[in-house]
Structure formats: structure tokens, C-alpha cells
Amino acid sequence: MTQIKASKCHIVVLVSSHGEKVGGGSDGAVYDFRGNPADKSKTGGWLGAGLALGVELSERICVMGISMNLVTYLVGNLHISSAKSATIVTNFMGTLNLLGLLGGFLADAKLGRYLTVVLSATITAIGVIILTLATTISGMRPPPCDNYRNLHHQCIEANGNQLALLYAALYTIALGGGGIKSNVSGFGSDQFDVSDPKEEKAMIFFFNRFYFCISIGSLFAVIVLVYVQDNVGRGWGYGISAGTMVLAVLVLLSGTPFYRFKKPRGSPLTVIWRVIFLAWKKRNQPYPSHPSLLNKYHEARVPHTEKFKCLDKAAILDDYAGSGENKNNPWIVSTVTQIEEVKMVLKLIPIWSTCILFWTVYSQISTFAIEQATFMKRNIGSFVVPSGSFSTFVFISILLFTSMNEKIFVPLARKLTHNPQGLTSLQRIGIGLVLSMVAMVAAAIVEKQRREFSIHHDAILSAFWLVPQFFLVGAGEAFAYVGQLEFFIREAPERMKSMSTGLFLSTLSMGFFVSSLLVSLVDKVTNKSWLRSNLNRGRLENFYWLLAVLVLLNFGVFLIFASRHQYKEQHYLGPDDSEEKELKSSNDVTAEKLGEKIAMEGP
């Protein structure tokens, strides 16, 4: 076997003795399941990537089938208050997205993507099986109480022992789901070779199919599974999810001989931790007279900047750090490149902080908005639409506006701004924030009308009045999701792009946790008068107005940060040391295109 290096692009290509390319990418060689260089004709491609799509489809069916209808089970069957039920749901979703960081770290640092996905999918399957048992065993529920909405104080709320199995199930699912979410797309893209133009094009289509699977899985969950849960039984609904996940694990394992594998290269989080640790350790040392005296200043791939200057101390070459091989030991002294990469990550934090509130608004769709629907008329003829199925309008809106981006919004923006990109990532985020604010205004108006009709006119408003708020949140996600993903991927350092997905997922996580915090604070400050299990006795519209005001203030802060943000210039210089010879991998190239392709081509 020979190894050919393209000096300009720094792409490593492995060639077999017969001249057949069997692996490549700047992140190192590609292997088969036996650890040998992968044979391109027998591994990877759409066969391997398609099996990865199956895992993502199953994960969406499980998670959305649980999160979009769990609140009705907590309130209606376990007799938990609406506020507490909403907090349980948002904490579950927040933890799931937060654990995506852990899943990404484990895959990068030790396990690799394939093993992490297999273990995570298995854990998810176990969690859904436990959830099926928790909702099926009668001893895990308090005695039935038909009047829980009007006389909630007379109903027996589920106790700690009954909730223990439910919590165990939810957080087992969160642990597995986080690992799947952060790795399955990367593992799927590993099945394509970026140095092959045909495979690179197929890899872009893979991400379109990936997004399509997310949407299809979500729609199946909110239409079919929610109906089964409400009309057949929770055990049947969650049992279908469990069976789907078990099948996905078996299918994934059966395809092992056909995958291409990449060895873990170490987590970017380790680099960030080392730089911060060394900067703190050397905090009392004086700055050198000129930045050129910092470690490997002249070999840096990223130009030195004065921002966050305190981190420069991590690259100070004192007598100990500058002697012998110590200057090459990353735990003794950092390089300028490493420090500047950490600075680039820190520059993302202001925008990151203003993205959180969008997902706080989004979380209301799976909690209080579903509760609203249970108090409204949901009939289409003789058929009663399950309250959780109204989330269908969110996903329809997402698919519609994602497609409209290509046909209407992007071409129009190109004509108005003369920018080939059309809408920038920050502009997309801004549009998403505005739409989320309008959604909360619509939700507040509808809830006020619903409550007045119910109390003063003894009439039940149609649940289809909720469609505008679902539709607006979906439209907002079509802009905000793509904009945030594109922003974090494009603006992250070249070799820290794998962590950028984790940053994006953390905004979702924090959004759900902020929702839990807000609900708890509002419940305490208003003495439980706004958020009640009987919405007719509460003031849910005031909570929606509060969210609209918070989003408006947040949007003002976002405009300030966005106006000051300078988009990163793309640099393609050579490596400066052995640790930094990991240049743009196939996953990196695809990641840069992901946000654009979703917006430009749709599912």
C-alpha cells in the first residue's frame, strides 16, 4: 500500500495494490470492521449511510412520540399539575440535547461514532421498554380520577415510587438519544469519500435525506403514535416505539461488514480545557514584549488577535516550557493556533446566548399548547383529533418554509441585497426570533378568547384556532434551526467543527431548561394563579405575553451582537505542528454545506 499526499489541499489518499482508492480524508485513513483499509467497492456509500438513516428515523419516532404527548399523560393519568408536568417534559428534552455533548465527546475521544451510535441506540431501546412498563403496570399510576381538571385537589397525585420508574425511563432515553443525535449524522457522512466528486455529491444528498427522515419520523410520531397512545393505550404506543428502536439496532448491527470506520482523534473539548487550564496556571507570568515570542507564533494557521488576550499566557515559553521537547507537549504549553481556535469558540458565545430563547418558545408547543387543545373542540366530523397531533402543523410548516426558502426567500434576498448567499445565517436566526415572538402573541390572543368563551359564553372554541401559533413556531424553526446550525458550523475553527453541532444542540438544551425555570418562577411569583391544571381558572395568556416580551428584549440584544459580529474568513494554510496536521475532513466539508443545502434544496 502506498500513500499519496496532495501538498496544496493536504488530502491523504490510500491506494490499494490494485490502484483502487479505499479510503481518505484529512482526518486519517478509513477502515473496515476488521481494522484493514476499507475497500471502496465493498463498503460505505448509500448502503452504509442508509442504515444510519434508519437509526435516526427510529430515534425521531421515539423521542417525538414521547415529548409531544407526555404532558397529557402526566396531567390526565398521573394527576400532576400543568406547571409541574411542563417542567418534567422540558427537563427531559433539555437533558437529552445536553447529553449530545457527552455523546460527541465520547465518540471523539475514545469510542468512535459507530460504537457510540450502537450503544446509544441500545440504551434508547432499553429506556423505551422501561417507559412501556411504567405506563402499563397499574401500580405505577394513582387511582383514576375523572374530575381532575375541575377538582384537582381531590385527585391523588402520583407519588415518588410511582414516578421513579417513569423518571428512570425518561432519562435512560435521554442518555441514549443524546448519543444518537450527536453522532449518527457524522457516522452516515463517514460512508462517503469527499475526494471522489460523485461521493461528495452523494454526501450532500445524504444530509437532505437525513433532514427528511427527521421530518417523516416526527410526523409519524405526532399523527400515528399519538393517536394510538390516546385511543388504544399508552403501552401500545410506547411499545411500537420500543419495537422500532430494537429493530433499528438489529439492522445497524447487521450492516457492520459494510461500513467504513474512522478512528477517534480526540475531542476538541480537551484542547479548550488545556488552553484555559494553562492560561490560568500562568496567569501571574508577564506578557512577552511581542506576540511573536509566543509558542509557534510564526507557524500559526490562524492569525493572532488581541481579543481575550489573557488566553495568550497559555503559549508563554518560560525556561521550563521552552526547553527540549516541552514546547511540543500540549499540557505544558499551548500553540498560538490552539489559543486562537479557543478564542474563535468564545466569540460564538454572544450569539449562542441569544438563540436560547427561541427554543424556550418552541418548548411551549409540546407542553401548554397541547394542554390548550385538550380544552377545545377537536372534532373533524365524528373523528376527534388527539391533542398531541396538533404538533403536525409545526412539521408541515417546517417542510413548507424550508422549500419556500429555495423558491422564494433566497432568490428574493439575492436580488435585494446582491449577496450570492441570499440570507446570511444571522439573518435567518433573526427572522426565526421574530416569528417566535409573533407566535406567542397569537397564542396569548387565542388563549384569552378561548377562556372568555368557555367562562362567559359556556362555549368551546375550535382547537384549530391554535394552528397559527403552531404554524408560526414551525416557520420560525425553518429559519432559526438552519441559521443556527450554519452559523456554528461556519464560524467554528476548522478542526473544531465536530464540536459545533454540540454547541448548537446546547442552545436547544438551555432553551428547555430556561422554560422549566420560567415556569417555576412564574408559578411561585403568581402563587400558582397563572399556570393551573384547569386552564379556565388560570391565566396562561399572561405567560405567553411574558414570553413575547422576553423574546422582544432578546431580539434587541441579538441585533447588537449580530451587528458587531465579523464573519470568519476562510483560511487554508498548511499545518504548523504534528497535532495540527488534522485538516479539513469529509465531515468538515459536508458540515459547512449542511445549513446551506437544507435551506436551498429542502428535504
Side-chain angles (χ1 to χ4, degrees):
M1 179 156 305
T2 59
Q3 198 177 65
I4 301 174
K5 293 185 178 180
S7 59
K8 184 176 181 180
C9 298
H10 306 285
I11 295 177
V12 179
V13 180
L14 296 176
V15 182
S16 69
S17 58
H18 300 289
E20 182 184 45
K21 183 165 58 182
V22 294
S26 55
D27 58 340
V30 181
Y31 301 92
D32 62 18
F33 75 108
R34 293 189 177 92
N36 301 318
D39 185 340
K40 181 179 176 181
S41 64
K42 298 179 181 178
T43 62
W46 277 111
L47 175 58
L51 298 177
L53 288 176
V55 175
E56 178 56 29
L57 177 65
S58 299
E59 186 269 340
R60 284 290 86 190
I61 289 174
C62 289
V63 172
M64 298 308 295
I66 294 167
S67 63
M68 287 299 178
N69 203 34
L70 180 60
V71 69
T72 60
Y73 177 76
L74 297 173
V75 175
N77 297 84
L78 301 186
H79 312 148
I80 299 173
S81 68
S82 291
K84 186 177 178 181
S85 297
T87 299
I88 291 173
V89 175
T90 51
N91 282 345
F92 161 65
M93 292 300 294
T95 302
L96 187 148
N97 286 287
L98 186 63
L99 287 173
L101 288 173
L102 175 62
F105 175 81
L106 291 175
D108 288 342
K110 189 68 176 177
L111 299 180
R113 291 190 179 113
Y114 168 75
L115 186 56
T116 304
V117 171
V118 170
L119 291 175
S120 298
T122 303
I123 291 171
T124 302
I126 293 172
V128 184
I129 291 172
I130 296 173
L131 182 63
T132 304
L133 295 175
T135 54
T136 303
I137 300 173
S138 58
M140 293 294 103
R141 299 188 300 272
C145 180
D146 294 334
N147 296 321
Y148 73 94
R149 292 197 186 281
N150 298 320
L151 300 170
H152 187 75
H153 61 279
Q154 294 184 3
C155 296
I156 300 175
E157 183 175 325
N159 59 42
N161 291 332
Q162 291 170 327
L163 290 175
L165 192 61
L166 178 71
Y167 284 141
L170 291 178
Y171 288 99
T172 300
I173 294 169
L175 177 62
I180 294 174
K181 190 181 290 288
S182 58
N183 289 288
V184 70
S185 60
F187 178 67
S189 69
D190 286 346
Q191 308 309 307
F192 301 98
D193 181 4
V194 71
S195 61
D196 184 329
K198 291 179 64 177
E199 289 205 14
E200 182 183 14
K201 184 178 180 180
M203 183 162 50
I204 295 171
F205 281 109
F206 164 78
F207 279 106
N208 281 332
R209 303 299 177 264
F210 180 81
Y211 191 67
F212 184 76
C213 281
I214 291 176
S215 301
I216 292 299
S218 299
L219 283 173
F220 177 82
V222 298
I223 294 175
V224 178
L225 290 186
V226 167
Y227 178 83
V228 173
Q229 290 166 14
D230 284 358
N231 294 278
V232 181
R234 293 278 169 170
W236 282 102
Y238 296 141
I240 293 173
S241 296
T244 302
M245 203 70 238
V246 170
L247 180 62
V249 173
L250 295 176
V251 171
L252 182 67
L253 289 172
S254 69
T256 300
F258 307 107
Y259 299 134
R260 298 174 188 172
F261 300 88
K262 294 183 180 180
K263 293 182 178 179
R265 298 182 294 155
S267 174
L269 292 174
T270 305
V271 177
I272 296 174
W273 158 246
R274 280 199 308 245
V275 169
I276 295 175
F277 170 75
L278 289 174
W280 172 259
K281 185 178 179 181
K282 299 181 180 183
R283 65 189 182 280
N284 294 324
Q285 294 191 23
Y287 288 102
S289 57
H290 191 271
S292 62
L293 299 176
L294 297 172
N295 187 31
K296 300 193 177 182
Y297 172 87
H298 297 289
E299 302 171 25
R301 287 191 295 124
V302 183
H304 177 266
T305 62
E306 292 295 320
K307 202 166 187 178
F308 302 112
K309 189 176 179 181
C310 59
L311 295 178
D312 289 347
K313 291 194 173 184
I316 291 177
L317 289 168
D318 53 23
D319 293 339
Y320 178 68
S323 61
E325 292 297 319
N326 287 345
K327 63 166 55 180
N328 294 321
N329 187 332
W331 286 104
I332 295 177
V333 60
S334 299
T335 65
V336 170
T337 295
Q338 293 167 347
I339 292 172
E340 291 303 321
E341 287 176 337
V342 174
K343 290 180 180 181
M344 291 167 68
V345 172
L346 293 178
K347 285 171 62 178
L348 303 179
I349 301 302
I351 299 298
W352 175 89
S353 66
T354 55
C355 291
I356 291 172
L357 213 56
F358 174 84
W359 299 106
T360 299
V361 169
Y362 180 87
S363 68
Q364 310 314 313
I365 294 301
S366 59
T367 54
F368 290 116
I370 302 300
E371 270 292 281
Q372 281 180 282
T374 63
F375 281 83
M376 303 174 79
K377 186 177 181 181
R378 294 176 278 119
N379 299 72
I380 300 179
S382 60
F383 177 73
V384 179
V385 180
S387 55
S389 292
F390 278 86
S391 301
T392 302
F393 293 104
V394 173
F395 303 110
I396 292 175
S397 179
I398 290 171
L399 293 173
L400 176 62
F401 276 87
T402 300
S403 300
M404 289 174 65
N405 269 336
E406 176 193 1
K407 303 297 183 182
I408 300 176
F409 299 125
V410 171
L412 181 61
R414 284 172 178 164
K415 290 182 180 180
L416 295 176
T417 64
H418 303 291
N419 183 351
Q421 187 181 355
L423 294 173
T424 66
S425 56
L426 291 178
Q427 287 171 342
R428 294 179 196 272
I429 295 172
I431 293 172
L433 288 173
V434 171
L435 288 172
S436 70
M437 179 181 63
V438 177
M440 288 298 94
V441 171
I445 293 173
V446 170
E447 172 58 17
K448 184 178 180 180
Q449 290 298 313
R450 184 208 64 77
R451 186 171 163 275
E452 288 184 354
F453 265 72
S454 179
I455 295 174
H456 301 298
H457 303 287
D458 196 24
I460 301 177
L461 205 63
S462 171
F464 287 93
W465 282 101
L466 298 174
V467 171
Q469 67 196 62
F470 283 98
F471 202 78
L472 286 165
V473 168
E477 182 180 353
F479 285 99
Y481 187 102
V482 173
Q484 290 177 34
L485 188 59
E486 182 181 0
F487 175 79
F488 289 117
I489 287 175
R490 281 184 171 273
E491 299 301 294
E494 291 298 332
R495 66 192 190 96
M496 289 188 181
K497 289 184 183 294
S498 61
M499 191 186 67
S500 61
T501 302
L503 272 176
F504 167 63
L505 291 175
S506 68
T507 63
L508 278 74
S509 173
M510 294 304 298
F512 286 112
F513 285 135
V514 168
S515 177
S516 298
L517 178 62
L518 272 178
V519 168
S520 298
L521 289 175
V522 167
D523 221 24
K524 184 175 181 179
V525 171
T526 64
N527 196 25
K528 301 183 183 292
S529 62
W530 282 14
L531 308 174
R532 305 186 66 170
S533 296
N534 185 341
L535 297 186
N536 292 334
R537 297 181 178 180
R539 294 282 182 176
L540 179 59
E541 69 271 19
N542 290 345
F543 182 66
Y544 286 147
W545 282 117
L546 173 64
L547 282 171
V549 171
L550 290 176
V551 174
L552 177 62
L553 296 175
N554 178 76
F555 180 67
V557 176
F558 168 79
L559 289 178
I560 295 173
F561 288 153
S563 64
R564 295 178 178 178
H565 181 81
Q566 293 184 341
Y567 285 103
K568 184 188 73 175
E569 295 182 7
Q570 302 297 322
H571 298 282
Y572 302 100
L573 303 179
D576 65 349
D577 57 38
S578 59
E579 184 182 355
E580 287 158 1
K581 288 181 181 179
E582 305 162 0
L583 297 177
K584 250 187 172 181
S585 65
S586 61
N587 199 38
D588 294 341
V589 174
T590 309
E592 288 188 11
K593 298 176 181 178
L594 172 56
E596 289 179 314
K597 286 296 177 180
I598 290 176
M600 297 294 291
E601 297 187 14

